[in-house]
Amino acid sequence: MKSLSRTIRDSRLRTHNVIRAWLKPKMGAIGTRYRLAARIRMANGWATKHPKRTFLYVVGSLLFILVGDMMVAGMRAEIKEPNVNMIANVEPIFNGFRTIQANKEAHRKTILEMTTKGQTIRHELDSMIAIPAKSHEDSIGIIRRYNQLENIVKSLKQNDND
């Protein structure tokens, strides 16, 4: 069983060989057509005879490319000015965020009020149930308070599910 790294290496080598086999005839034809091998030999011979000039040409070319690239990059930076309109359009997003936060706070206050009211009703209900001799009005009050408490609990459970 081959290791994973060896499998990857073999696959990469096969891919390289396929690309090389496809590319070699095409590059050979271009080299033959433009006589690149002869020109490269001539250029190497000239460079061997004139090392100082070769050095100056190479350094000068690289310096020219560097300066040109810096100029192009500088011109692009000058063209790109910050888009103030995009920054100004952020305000509606913040207003929407503030509205959402205000609605959340109002919802939280409502839930706290309902919870407090539910606890109050529960205490009243407990005290009314604890009365040993209840009148008809007490029984109706117990049922009303129980229904109120039931509605509050349903509402709080529905808010928990949302």
Side-chain angles (χ1 to χ4, degrees):
M1 183 171 182
K2 291 197 282 187
S3 68
L4 182 62
S5 61
R6 184 174 176 154
T7 304
I8 292 172
R9 185 177 48 215
D10 291 345
S11 175
R12 191 176 54 195
L13 185 63
R14 271 183 279 149
T15 305
H16 175 74
N17 287 337
V18 167
I19 292 172
R20 193 174 90 194
W22 177 79
L23 202 56
K24 192 171 184 177
K26 292 173 180 25
M27 297 312 291
I30 291 172
T32 305
R33 181 176 180 184
Y34 293 107
R35 299 186 312 269
L36 291 180
R39 291 173 192 234
I40 290 172
R41 275 195 303 277
M42 284 177 47
N44 284 341
W46 184 88
T48 305
K49 289 179 186 175
H50 305 92
K52 290 181 182 177
R53 260 193 216 169
T54 305
F55 176 76
L56 286 175
Y57 287 157
V58 169
V59 170
S61 299
L62 292 174
L63 190 61
F64 178 73
I65 291 171
L66 176 68
V67 170
D69 184 50
M70 289 172 58
M71 287 175 53
V72 168
M75 288 174 23
R76 283 185 186 160
E78 289 176 5
I79 291 172
K80 286 187 177 179
E81 296 178 6
N83 192 354
V84 180
N85 295 334
M86 290 292 288
I87 295 170
N89 289 337
V90 176
E91 187 62 31
I93 295 171
F94 284 122
N95 287 338
F97 179 72
R98 289 184 195 112
T99 303
I100 290 170
Q101 291 297 75
N103 288 342
K104 280 185 180 180
E105 188 62 32
H107 189 256
R108 194 174 302 126
K109 281 182 183 179
T110 305
I111 289 176
L112 284 174
E113 289 173 3
M114 287 176 63
T115 305
T116 306
K117 187 176 179 182
Q119 288 173 346
T120 305
I121 290 174
R122 186 180 60 104
H123 288 299
E124 289 175 5
L125 192 60
D126 287 344
S127 64
M128 290 177 84
I129 291 174
I131 297 174
K134 297 175 191 71
S135 66
H136 180 71
E137 290 177 13
D138 291 337
S139 298
I140 292 175
I142 289 172
I143 292 172
R144 284 186 181 158
R145 298 266 191 278
Y146 181 78
N147 287 337
Q148 287 176 346
L149 187 61
E150 203 173 48
N151 289 335
I152 291 172
V153 169
K154 283 180 187 176
S155 178
L156 289 174
K157 281 185 180 180
Q158 186 179 13
N159 284 326
D160 282 346
N161 292 337
D162 292 342

